[in-house]
């Protein structure tokens, strides 16, 4: 949808509400519902204000200490949400509604550098300096429950009924059981301008996946967060619920496999297909930086529960040709040659994971790192280095990373280290159901 199309739709009453949204540290859409008239008359040209605590809170929206950009001492002022009209689109699962994503800037027009969208823009600018762009696609898995969100809350998320009661990986019969919901999501995303390719069942009970055509990296990240938010909203409208937790239970977790390639200019020919040396240096950079940038691939305590042997979630820092036991899987040929990062879970922030992959690849190219031989066989049973197994370990590696400091800047590094510290303190203070069940009566 163009700005002119939006103005015409507001004039005719076809659109009466515009969602203005930013993406927070957790990869969620946050913002305001604006009347269409106010958006067209005021916000389109000047933006809108939002409290800067949106990039300085925990997952439950609690104000927390340690962020330089927002605090009680600084008064929790505003930043500006500046509409990016390239992201403007109708949202068909809400009546007469459009959505526009925003970049986050300070009052003087300078970037809020800790904003995930701005972090990715910076890495894309580094590629542009070489005459390159990035294409990407993210594959999100999720679990569907027949309980609505409020019912699930009151049940403390225990004893929920999955939409499928057995493994429906690739099963047409099994996926038909939940097709009314999945079809609504597919068609809703198509109506919002996303290029839906397919949906399929997955292994865990009630687990599914919807896949989209690749796009330039910024668009891919934008569409990731729009889809994730929209899928939850559509499920709620159907009296059901969806979770993108990386590891909901002891069975298979929810992954987010990330495909990335480089192109000449904007949408040009594949750099990887043209220059094998660049491809190998890029991939070698992924291997060299994977452990120290894991914080951007696995941002939460729960993220690390996925990394189990023989689980289709990787544990070894290795690459292979079409080898799903490796953290990095090389797929495609010619113009379709690309790297698939299998480390990230569905709880990942897409702007940050793509930023980390680009930064790692540029590190490999700049230092002309030599690519090791592909791993053959089962990487789970190999002697390859292991991915970090806890948020604490990933936090320490990120803190010591020269690659992160150079690529993202000290302000961004400190911001996301504090995010990890907040999560770790909350985890260490929590009393879990597991502890209660073990100790309430028996100890």
């Amino acid at each position: 949808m163009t700005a002119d199309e939006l103005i015409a739709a507001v004039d005719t009453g076809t659109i009466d509400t515009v969602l203005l949204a930013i993406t927070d540290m957790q990869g969620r859409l946050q913002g305001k519902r604006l009347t269409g008239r106010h958006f067209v008359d005021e916000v389109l040209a000047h933006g809108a204000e939002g409290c800067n605590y949106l990039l300085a809170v925990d997952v439950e929206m609690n104000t927390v200490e340690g962020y330089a950009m927002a605090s009680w001492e600084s008064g929790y002022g505003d930043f500006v949400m500046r509409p990016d009209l390239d992201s403007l689109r109708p949202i068909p699962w809400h009546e007469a509604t459009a959505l526009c994503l925003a970049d986050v800037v300070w009052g003087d027009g300078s970037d809020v550098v800790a904003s995930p969208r701005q972090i990715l823009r910076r890495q894309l600018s580094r590629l542009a300096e070489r005459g390159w762009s990035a294409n990407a696609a993210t594959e999100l898995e999720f679990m569907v429950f027949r309980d609505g969100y409020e019912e699930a809350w009151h049940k403390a998320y225990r004893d929920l009924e999955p939409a499928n009661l057995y493994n429906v990986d690739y099963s047409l019969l099994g996926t038909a059981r939940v097709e009314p919901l999945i079809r609504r999501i597919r068609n809703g995303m198509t109506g919002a301008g996303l290029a839906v390719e397919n949906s399929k069942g997955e292994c865990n009970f009630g687990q599914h996946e919807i896949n989209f055509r690749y796009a330039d990296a910024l668009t891919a990240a934008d569409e990731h967060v729009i889809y994730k938010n929209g899928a939850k909203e559509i499920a709620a409208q159907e009296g059901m619920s969806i979770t993108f937790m990386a590891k909901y239970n002891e069975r298979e977790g929810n992954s987010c496999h990330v495909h990335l390639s480089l192109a000449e200019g904007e949408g040009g020919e594949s750099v990887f297909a043209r220059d094998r040396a660049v491809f190998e240096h890029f991939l070698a950079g992924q291997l060299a930086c994977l452990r120290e940038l894991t914080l951007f691939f696995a941002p939460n305590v729960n993220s690390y529960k996925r990394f189990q042997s023989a689980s289709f979630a990787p544990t070894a820092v290795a690459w292979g040709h079409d080898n799903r036991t490796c953290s990095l899987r090389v797929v495609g040929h010619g113009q379709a040659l690309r790297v698939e990062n299998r480390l990230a879970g569905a709880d990942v922030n897409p702007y940050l994971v793509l930023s980390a992959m680009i930064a790692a690849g540029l590190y490999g190219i700049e230092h002309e790192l030599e690519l090791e031989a592909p791993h053959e066989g089962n990487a789970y049973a190999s002697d390859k280095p292991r991915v970090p197994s806890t948020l604490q370990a990933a936090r320490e590696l990120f803190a010591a990373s020269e690659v992160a400091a150079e690529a993202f800047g000290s302000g961004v590094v400190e911001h996301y280290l504090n995010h990890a510290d907040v999560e770790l303190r909350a985890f260490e203070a929590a009393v879990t159901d597991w502890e209660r069940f073990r100790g309430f009566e028996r100890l």
Side-chain angles (χ1 to χ4, degrees), residues 8 21 44 47 51 57 85 88 124-125 129 201 236 240 261 270 320-322 332 337 360 381 389 409 422 428 441:
L44 198 60
C51 180
V57 291
L85 297 181
L88 182 63
L124 294 173
S125 293
E129 290 171 1
M240 302 171 78
S261 63
S270 168
H321 292 289
D322 196 16
L337 181 64
S389 59
V422 167
E428 290 162 0
E441 178 180 346

Side-chain angles (χ1 to χ4, degrees), residues 4 46 134 157 159 167 184 217 295 335 377 379 394 397 429 436:
D4 287 342
H46 305 295
Y157 305 102
D159 301 321
N167 181 331
R184 265 207 71 192
L295 186 63
Q335 294 297 312
L397 287 164
R436 292 192 185 96

Side-chain angles (χ1 to χ4, degrees), residues 318-369:
W319 80 277
H321 292 289
D322 196 16
N323 186 337
R324 286 183 168 88
T325 71
C326 297
S327 296
L328 298 162
R329 173 176 171 246
V330 172
V331 290
H333 304 279
Q335 294 297 312
L337 181 64
R338 61 196 185 275
V339 176
E340 178 193 55
N341 183 303
R342 298 179 61 81
L343 197 64
D347 60 340
V348 77
N349 186 317
Y351 302 93
L352 300 184
V353 71
L354 288 169
S355 295
M357 290 181 70
I358 293 169
L362 285 174
Y363 176 81
I365 291 168
E366 290 165 358
H367 292 82
E368 298 184 345
L369 298 185

Side-chain angles (χ1 to χ4, degrees), residues 368-383:
E368 298 184 345
L369 298 185
E370 184 176 349
L371 181 62
E372 64 186 50
H375 184 78
E376 305 288 346
N378 184 3
Y380 291 113
S382 72
D383 60 357

Side-chain angles (χ1 to χ4, degrees), residues 237-252:
Q237 292 170 3
E238 295 291 324
M240 302 171 78
S241 58
I242 282 175
T243 184
F244 290 91
M245 282 183 66
K247 191 76 167 177
Y248 172 75
N249 58 18
E250 290 74 19
R251 290 181 58 86
E252 294 82 4

Side-chain angles (χ1 to χ4, degrees), residues 172-184:
L172 294 179
L173 175 63
T175 53
R177 305 286 180 83
V178 74
E179 173 64 0
L181 171 64
I182 302 300
R183 181 175 180 271
R184 265 207 71 192

